[in-house]
Amino acid sequence: MVENVSMHWTERVKQKTRELNLSDAKIAREIGCSSALYSMWMNQTRNPKLESKIAIAKALGVSVYWLDTGEEEPNPNALPVISLDDIDAFYQEIENKQKAIKKDSGIRIIESDSESFLIRLDNDSMIDPGNAEKTLIPNGSTIQIDQECKPVPGKILLIDIDGQMLLRVWQRINANQHIFKMINPHYSELKISYTGDVMDIYKGTAVGFSCPL
């Protein structure tokens, strides 16, 4: 049976009342209002407060969501059903992106001067899909790189490794041991370990960005 979503909630109350063989007077007594006021609610001449509507739903053994929609309220803790095909497709997509980033870092120099320059990032390596609190630089963003900034651990740096420009978060192990990571955890395998003076590969620090429209 297809539920009539345009049905007014009071019609569902009347329908449920008939199913339970309850009188309007009994429901009114149970929720603590007068029969006259309850009748006005059911005739749609007055609207009940939310607490009264909740009381009506409770008296009928249903939810307010059901009164409004005719459907059971979805469980917010229910896990979505994911098929094996969906999982395979997800990991295949990640693998394809990793291969693409290995081949092309997605860094495009747009504009430069003596102290700073702009680059564009053409991938999603600098976002964390599962953590909105982390610094997010979306795909297609224009990023300002300051060449005069002193590199600071934890900041996003532009580095040059074997002639390839890369954008990474710098983790300093010691004076000559460094790790450079992407923010996106899906690309954790693409982290870079570097031995030497970080200034030998340092090209600047990301100090701001603008998102694509």
Side-chain angles (χ1 to χ4, degrees), residues 84-102:
L84 292 177
D85 289 341
D86 291 335
I87 295 173
D88 289 341
F90 171 77
Y91 283 109
Q92 184 61 55
E93 181 184 1
I94 296 300
E95 183 179 345
N96 292 339
K97 287 183 176 182
Q98 289 179 342
K99 290 179 180 178
I101 292 175
K102 284 182 179 179

Side-chain angles (χ1 to χ4, degrees), residues 66-137:
W66 183 87
L67 290 184
D68 290 335
T69 68
E71 299 177 356
E72 293 302 320
E73 190 168 6
N75 182 0
N77 298 318
L79 296 175
V81 177
I82 302 176
S83 69
L84 292 177
D85 289 341
D86 291 335
I87 295 173
D88 289 341
F90 171 77
Y91 283 109
Q92 184 61 55
E93 181 184 1
I94 296 300
E95 183 179 345
N96 292 339
K97 287 183 176 182
Q98 289 179 342
K99 290 179 180 178
I101 292 175
K102 284 182 179 179
K103 184 177 181 181
D104 183 348
S105 66
I107 302 296
R108 308 286 182 264
I109 297 178
I110 301 174
E111 182 181 320
S112 64
D113 56 36
S114 60
E115 295 183 356
S116 66
F117 58 97
L118 299 178
I119 64 171
R120 188 178 71 241
L121 179 65
D122 290 335
N123 58 52
D124 63 352
S125 62
M126 302 310 288
I127 68 170
D128 185 343
N131 188 348
E133 294 182 358
K134 283 194 175 181
T135 302
L136 304 180
I137 303 181

Side-chain angles (χ1 to χ4, degrees), residues 7-31 38-39 41-43 52-53 55-62 66-67:
M7 180 187 293
H8 195 268
W9 71 270
T10 55
E11 295 303 318
R12 294 192 181 91
V13 170
K14 295 173 184 177
Q15 182 183 71
K16 197 68 175 177
T17 298
R18 288 192 295 270
E19 291 177 8
L20 298 175
N21 196 25
L22 296 173
S23 67
D24 289 355
K26 184 174 182 179
I27 297 175
R29 285 195 303 271
E30 187 167 340
I31 67 175
Y38 183 82
S39 178
W41 290 341
M42 293 302 104
N43 292 330
S52 297
K53 193 171 179 182
I56 294 171
K58 184 177 180 181
L60 296 175
V62 297
W66 183 87
L67 290 184

Side-chain angles (χ1 to χ4, degrees), residues 133-148:
E133 294 182 358
K134 283 194 175 181
T135 302
L136 304 180
I137 303 181
N139 187 355
S141 294
T142 298
I143 307 164
Q144 182 181 3
I145 303 295
D146 192 324
Q147 297 173 283
E148 300 299 315

Side-chain angles (χ1 to χ4, degrees), residues 159-178:
I159 57 176
D160 186 339
I161 299 287
D162 298 328
Q164 187 178 37
M165 301 284 270
L166 305 172
L167 205 60
R168 296 289 193 276
V169 177
W170 176 31
Q171 180 182 348
R172 183 179 184 273
I173 306 302
N174 57 46
N176 293 299
Q177 296 291 326
H178 315 276

